[in-house]
Amino acid sequence: MERPKGWHPGLLRWLPVVLLAGAVMWGVWRTPGFLTARHVSGVVHLASLVGVLAVGQSVVLIGGGFDLSQGATLGLSAAVAAVGLRDLGWGPVAAAVAALGCGGLVGVVNGVFVAYVRANAFVTTLSMTLIVRGLTFLVLGGRELGGLRAFEPLAASLRVGEMRLSGLMAILGVVAIVGWVGMRCTVWGQHLYATGGNAEAARLAGVRTERLRLASFAVSGLAAALGGLLWLASFYTANARTGEGYELLSIAACVVGGVSLQGGRGSVLGAIGGCLLLQAVGAMINLTELPGEYATLTNGLVILVFAAVDALARRGERR
């Protein structure tokens, strides 16, 4: 069937990105001093934690999945590390290994249910969110543990002129490089793109789609666990609500960065770019002294609009 004239799916897909970037540029013009080295480096620093989550989320989305449990996994990993440091006398290395193992295990459980049981990814990860939140409360014993500075060096910063270069930014850079290489330069990554684009065709071509999807959820869980360590490095505290809502921030970053919610399309670097763009919007909202709820409203609208545009673009490509 002939595609309707006057528009192209690729152009439609990038239209909201252009509009959002235009809104940021308008805000920059209206906000003196926004583009200073100090402020820009601050935006990147603040975006680092969500950027790490977005890398893991993008891997799941590209593979045709969906992970709503990232925020809860972040909280559980932070809680495990906090209890290890405070109550069990662990050192930072042991606490970090336990936290990463915990996050990876949550991801594997998600992957088993989605890939092998064939449960819906949305329902599976939403259920896992509730389970993990309950486990976090039990691990902490209902307490809020504060003053945990064992991971503070990860957030240490170095001043170069007016620019602030932090450990969080360096970690985001390493995670971005590893994620990009894994997705673009390995057979595993190419097979994951194929699985997300058309799982049945990939399976018939000999791709082990179940293993790939399980691995993608494990990657997301590890990214969330790393986010938990970065949370402790930044805020020194853990409670049963740590990381609440961060899964939506990572999804919003991915869709703004061009990662399709329907799988098979997007990139790790695009997800990080989307994260930086949304953080810039949030920073402008703060500078204009508007309530923080405006940033929440913006993220919700972004997810809704970009999901609709992606669906329309997909529909146009099939014509």
Side-chain angles (χ1 to χ4, degrees):
M1 186 174 182
E2 186 179 356
R3 181 177 295 150
K5 298 180 179 180
W7 64 278
H8 187 277
L11 296 178
L12 178 62
R13 197 183 300 277
W14 283 102
L15 178 61
V17 178
V18 174
L19 294 176
L20 187 59
V24 170
M25 295 307 297
W26 179 83
V28 168
W29 176 67
R30 296 281 295 177
T31 309
F34 187 87
L35 283 181
T36 61
R38 177 175 175 271
H39 196 86
V40 170
S41 61
V43 167
V44 178
H45 172 80
L46 292 173
S48 297
L49 196 160
V50 176
V52 169
L53 298 182
V55 170
Q57 188 73 251
S58 67
V59 172
V60 171
L61 290 173
I62 289 169
F66 204 85
D67 191 358
L68 286 175
S69 66
Q70 273 195 326
T73 304
L74 183 158
L76 179 59
S77 300
V80 168
V83 169
L85 292 168
R86 177 63 58 81
D87 298 342
L88 303 179
W90 292 350
V93 174
V97 170
L100 292 171
C102 181
L105 179 60
V106 172
V108 167
V109 172
N110 281 331
V112 167
F113 274 90
V114 173
Y116 291 96
V117 181
R118 304 296 176 89
N120 179 273
F122 181 90
V123 174
T124 297
T125 57
L126 179 60
S127 302
M128 188 59 67
T129 295
L130 301 177
I131 294 169
V132 171
R133 282 293 174 201
L135 289 174
T136 302
F137 182 86
L138 294 176
V139 167
L140 291 170
R143 301 170 295 167
E144 178 172 359
L145 299 182
L148 302 165
R149 296 181 175 270
F151 297 107
E152 186 177 15
L154 295 178
S157 59
L158 174 68
R159 296 282 183 180
V160 179
E162 291 188 356
M163 186 172 291
R164 175 189 182 187
L165 302 177
S166 70
L168 297 185
M169 296 162 66
I171 291 171
L172 175 60
V174 171
V175 170
I177 292 171
V178 171
W180 183 84
V181 170
M183 293 299 293
R184 291 293 184 180
C185 304
T186 67
V187 173
W188 182 87
Q190 296 306 305
H191 283 178
L192 190 63
Y193 273 100
T195 299
N198 190 325
E200 183 61 22
R203 187 185 66 79
L204 292 175
V207 176
R208 296 180 176 179
T209 57
E210 290 85 2
R211 289 188 181 183
L212 285 170
R213 281 188 166 163
L214 188 152
S216 70
F217 278 98
V219 169
S220 180
L222 288 171
L226 179 56
L229 298 178
L230 300 184
W231 175 282
L232 291 178
S234 301
F235 305 111
Y236 321 128
T237 184
N239 58 54
R241 300 187 65 180
T242 294
E244 199 169 67
Y246 271 66
E247 65 281 353
L248 298 181
L249 296 179
S250 71
I251 292 170
C254 287
V255 296
V256 170
V259 180
S260 173
L261 293 176
Q262 300 181 51
R265 188 190 300 275
S267 71
V268 166
L269 298 184
I272 294 176
C275 179
L276 294 175
L277 192 58
L278 288 176
Q279 184 61 49
V281 172
M284 284 188 296
I285 290 174
N286 290 333
L287 287 174
T288 54
E289 299 182 353
L290 290 171
E293 286 73 17
Y294 278 83
T296 304
L297 174 64
T298 300
N299 289 330
L301 289 173
V302 162
I303 294 176
L304 180 62
V305 171
F306 277 73
V309 167
D310 181 60
L312 291 172
R314 288 263 185 171
R315 187 183 306 170
E317 289 171 349
R318 289 195 293 266
R319 291 179 175 178

